[in-house]
Amino acid sequence: MKKLINSPESVVADALRGMAAAHPGLRVEAEKGIVTRAGAAAGEPAGKVALLSGGGSGHEPLHAGFVGRGMLAAAVAGPVFTSPVPDNIAAATCAVDAGAGVLHIVKNYTGDILNFTMAAEDCEDEGVKVEQVVVDDDVAVARTEHGPGRRGTGATLFVEKIAGALAEEGAPLAEVAAVARKVNANARSYGVALTSCTTPAKGSPNFTLGEDEIELGIGIHGEPGRERRKIMTAAETAEAMLDAILDDLPEAAGAPVILLVNGLGGTPPVELYIMRAEVERVLGERGITVARSLVGNYVTSLDMAGCTLTLCRADEELLRLWDAPVDTPSLRWGC
């Protein structure tokens, strides 16, 4: 294992200390994994809904990279691929509450759901109103009545951006939560891996792929996918990924979409832009217009090579909120 780390045990705290040095406008409690906006941590402005998200580390810039104007008031980082503990989530929630309540944006993993729920209960005992929105956009996992259900992946970014814009306008907690759920209901994602990732603690790949193999339907915690194939061209890969997404989002035809072509940490931009071109071609052939798009590493899986695609059906409200100003370490426009 070759990584620029000091020790597997100190990875998260060391990274957060670096984030504090790079972005002095943030308040960082490295040992607790808490990152907040300076103003939000002081309860400003009074009467505005605060957004908080978090989860296991290893997905950077998600979530701490999206703390700032127009998105999150706070993010809480756990150990690599492990949920933060309830006490730290609760401390961050109470710190950013400005009297209008806090929206927890939670990816659909068992540990995250349990720990965020316990934290919310503790905060409500202290008089802080908390709403929870669960993101479950990964179509590689079937919807079932049993088990944890679909994983939360790239749509988390869409939820944080759009709900964050509405909160910035001063909307009440119920409305901010409603638009977050609207985004999640209209978003679908699918991932492909060319290699596994290597966690600092394990020191070896989570799974093994042959030199001529790819894994379709992977998760962002290094989970193997649902199908292994011989390596395909970018065009064939885009078609396979979009087939899976659009089979689950049939109403997308004829509607504008917001698109995320997301690198998983080990794929160079040149390959992501090739995928962006192929996605444009496939969607155009199916009568779907890309109204807005992002290309880059936004929801990663350490050093995994591959990408995820996320589509969100967008109406005028969602596009307006997407276009609203945002100023965070990893997403910025209109400022």
Side-chain angles (χ1 to χ4, degrees):
M1 180 178 71
K2 295 180 180 180
K3 292 185 180 291
L4 293 173
I5 64 174
N6 295 315
S7 71
E9 295 76 21
S10 69
V11 163
V12 176
D14 288 349
L16 289 175
R17 279 190 282 271
M19 183 167 225
H23 303 285
L26 298 176
R27 289 185 55 178
V28 179
E29 298 179 63
E31 298 303 325
K32 292 184 177 180
I34 297 174
V35 178
T36 60
R37 289 193 240 174
E44 300 173 354
K48 192 175 79 172
V49 170
L51 271 64
L52 182 148
S53 193
S57 296
H59 307 305
E60 291 74 21
L62 196 78
H63 296 274
F66 302 130
V67 174
R69 178 188 171 199
M71 289 190 77
L72 299 176
V76 188
V80 172
F81 295 170
T82 303
S83 174
V85 298
D87 284 353
N88 292 344
I89 300 168
T93 301
C94 292
V96 298
D97 177 47
V102 180
L103 179 68
H104 282 178
I105 299 169
V106 187
K107 300 188 302 301
N108 190 33
Y109 299 95
T110 301
D112 287 343
I113 297 293
L114 289 174
N115 288 354
F116 273 85
T117 298
M118 285 190 283
E121 291 170 352
D122 290 343
C123 291
E124 289 184 338
D125 288 344
E126 298 297 321
V128 177
K129 175 66 175 175
V130 179
E131 281 270 4
Q132 183 183 95
V133 171
V134 177
V135 182
D136 59 352
D137 54 307
D138 184 5
V139 301
V141 178
R143 293 193 185 278
T144 62
E145 294 181 3
H146 306 287
R150 288 186 167 174
R151 302 174 291 215
T153 58
T156 311
L157 167 62
F158 291 170
V159 172
E160 291 175 357
K161 170 62 186 79
I162 290 171
L166 190 59
E168 204 73 45
E169 294 177 355
L173 182 58
E175 290 183 17
V176 177
V179 82
R181 294 185 179 107
K182 177 180 176 179
V183 173
N184 182 63
N186 283 280
R188 302 289 189 278
S189 297
Y190 193 84
V192 169
L194 310 182
T195 67
S196 176
C197 64
T198 298
T199 61
K202 185 169 185 255
S204 60
N206 281 20
F207 59 89
T208 302
L209 281 170
E211 289 295 320
D212 62 344
E213 293 180 323
I214 62 173
E215 192 91 6
L216 300 175
I218 52 88
I220 59 171
H221 296 93
E223 307 100 324
R226 69 180 186 184
E227 181 183 1
R228 189 166 292 192
R229 294 189 191 178
K230 297 297 182 182
I231 194 165
M232 302 183 290
T233 65
E236 293 167 334
T237 304
E239 289 167 0
M241 297 175 77
L242 290 169
D243 281 345
I245 290 172
L246 295 175
D247 282 350
D248 203 81
L249 197 64
E251 300 88 347
V257 298
I258 303 171
L259 165 68
L260 173 64
V261 180
N262 173 65
L264 289 167
T267 302
V270 64
E271 295 178 32
L272 297 179
Y273 278 111
I274 291 170
M275 288 296 292
R276 176 65 179 85
E278 294 302 335
V279 169
E280 184 79 16
R281 174 187 60 81
V282 174
L283 293 180
E285 290 172 354
R286 302 187 188 192
I288 299 171
T289 301
V290 178
R292 307 287 189 275
S293 70
L294 287 177
V295 179
N297 289 292
Y298 293 97
V299 184
T300 62
S301 183
L302 294 170
D303 56 347
M304 182 182 285
C307 73
T308 64
L309 300 179
T310 303
L311 295 182
C312 179
R313 290 178 299 204
D315 57 17
E316 290 185 6
E317 177 192 33
L318 298 190
L319 291 176
R320 180 185 67 80
L321 293 169
W322 179 261
D323 290 340
V326 59
D327 189 4
T328 73
S330 299
L331 203 66
R332 186 177 190 275
W333 59 69
C335 296

